[in-house]
Every structure is written in C-alpha cells, then in structure tokens.
Amino acid sequence: MDKIQRRQLESLRYVTPEELGREVAPFVEVIIRNPEAVKHFSRKKGFLERYQAAQLAFMFKHGATSTADVTVCVLEKDDFDCVLKFIPESGEVVYKPVQLKQLPSHKLNANADIQAEINKLRRYGCSPDLLVAFWINRDVKFDLSRLDLNGLGIEQLWFLGDNPSGELTFHGGLVSDLRSGNCQVRVLRGAITENRRVSFIPKVTSD
C-alpha cells in the first residue's frame, strides 16, 4: 500500500462492527423476511452491503488468533466497498480494503455461478492488499476443491453464509493458503465464535 492511499484510508471515519450492525439490523431483517415488498427499494443494496461489512469485521475481531481491535468504514469507491482497520495491541495499524460481492438467490438469478463470479476477480490484477468477500445468498453447498483460483492477484478470499437459526459461517483465508488446500472456517452463533481449519484437495489447472 502506497503512502497516498494509506493517508486516504487514515482520514476515513471508522465504527465498531457492533455499532454498524445495530444500525442496519432492523432494515436488513425486513429485507430478508419480505424481499418482494422491498424489491424496488433503492437503498436495499446499500443496507445489505453495510450488514455484510459489519459481519465481516466482527468475524475478524473475534477470530481465533485476533489480538487487534477491528473497526470498519463503508464507503464505496472504484477499488473498494469498505475498509477494515486493525488496531493491534502493539505495532502499526493495518488497513484492509474490501470488495463486497454477492452470489444472488436462485429467485433473483438462477444462472449465477460462484466460479463465474470468481473469474471476474482477475480484473483486479495484482492487488496484494485487497480482500474480497462473497455473501452466498442461496441454499447451496459448493466444493472448495472444485474452485479454480488460478490467476487471482488478491490477498484474501472469503465466503459468507447464514441460515434461519441466525448462525453465520465464514470459509476462506489467504488465497495462497486456499491454493494449497488450507481453509479457515469461522462460525458465529450470537456472541460465540467457533474457529477451525479444514484441508481439501485443491483444483489443479494449467496456466
């Protein structure tokens, strides 16, 4: 990250994930429970992105190895949708630009495919500071071993999903780890966080 970008990120206003979550939760609940009633609501995408950003920041804040305070700023730019700010107990503050993506429900787009969406990430080229998070907004199970991550120049890739019980699940990590068949799994149940690692056989492709 160059000095100019860092100064830009330093100047933004950050809030805690809990604060952001409380702010958008009432609106998101209506959107999720009655999507047809709000399908023409112009600010729906913005509320869902803010909710996604809050959950992502909360996940990092309460991760197994996290010793840093984490805050978030939602501000849509050409190269990011939000920024995570990591404030460690000691050491330099870290800023992580994030692109928020979504795999829409079958009802909205039955033809949407997670691999096709991943392929689009290659347009970011070499972006060693960029984190991309997909919200999986459908009842689907996808096999990590079938995903082709070849050519991705981003640092981290995460997949977020929820279920009717309110449980949130995160799969992902460093792209280099995913290419090696190592994935972090984090499950949020209210204020309880479960963390584990899983191994899989990564897809091998030719360049």
Side-chain angles (χ1 to χ4, degrees):
M1 181 179 296
D2 60 47
K3 293 181 178 179
I4 294 177
Q5 185 183 30
R6 184 176 177 85
R7 285 197 295 270
Q8 291 174 339
L9 300 184
E10 287 174 342
S11 67
L12 301 177
R13 178 182 177 272
Y14 295 83
V15 298
T16 67
E18 293 85 357
E19 181 180 348
L20 181 59
R22 287 193 298 269
E23 176 187 329
V24 301
F27 302 96
V28 172
E29 185 176 354
V30 172
I31 292 171
I32 293 175
R33 287 188 174 184
N34 196 359
E36 285 298 314
V38 295
K39 64 180 180 180
H40 299 302
F41 181 38
S42 61
R43 297 177 63 189
K44 180 174 70 173
K45 180 175 181 289
F47 279 119
L48 291 175
E49 285 189 345
R50 291 167 72 83
Y51 177 74
Q52 184 179 351
Q55 299 304 325
L56 187 67
F58 189 88
M59 183 270 289
F60 277 107
K61 183 175 181 179
H62 297 281
T65 60
S66 177
T67 59
D69 190 19
V70 181
T71 53
V72 58
C73 174
V74 181
L75 181 67
E76 189 170 346
K77 295 287 188 180
D78 290 339
D79 49 354
F80 62 82
D81 297 307
C82 72
V83 182
L84 300 179
K85 179 180 180 180
F86 296 82
I87 310 171
E89 293 179 353
S90 61
E92 187 177 26
V93 173
V94 175
Y95 296 91
K96 193 64 61 180
V98 179
Q99 281 281 354
L100 300 171
K101 305 294 184 181
Q102 182 179 172
L103 184 67
S105 66
H106 289 288
K107 190 170 185 178
L108 287 179
N109 187 349
N111 296 319
D113 173 72
I114 189 61
Q115 183 62 63
E117 297 304 314
I118 289 174
N119 293 342
K120 296 176 184 178
L121 303 182
R122 296 188 177 101
R123 67 185 177 88
Y124 294 121
C126 183
S127 302
D129 296 311
L130 184 63
L131 184 156
V132 176
F134 279 97
W135 186 273
I136 309 300
N137 192 20
R138 58 173 64 183
D139 185 13
V140 63
K141 291 183 179 180
F142 59 89
D143 187 349
L144 288 170
S145 65
R146 299 181 64 182
L147 298 182
D148 178 9
L149 305 182
N150 185 50
L152 295 186
I154 61 175
E155 182 195 43
Q156 298 185 46
L157 179 62
W158 288 88
F159 304 98
L160 294 67
D162 60 357
N163 61 39
S165 70
E167 180 178 280
L168 293 170
T169 304
F170 304 77
H171 290 76
L174 296 172
V175 171
S176 57
D177 286 345
L178 295 173
R179 287 198 185 107
S180 299
N182 297 299
C183 175
Q184 297 182 51
V185 180
R186 298 178 182 177
V187 181
L188 301 182
R189 300 183 184 91
I192 301 174
T193 307
E194 174 191 336
N195 300 272
R196 65 181 185 272
R197 285 182 175 272
V198 297
S199 298
F200 62 96
I201 301 175
K203 184 173 183 177
V204 177
T205 60
S206 58
D207 293 334

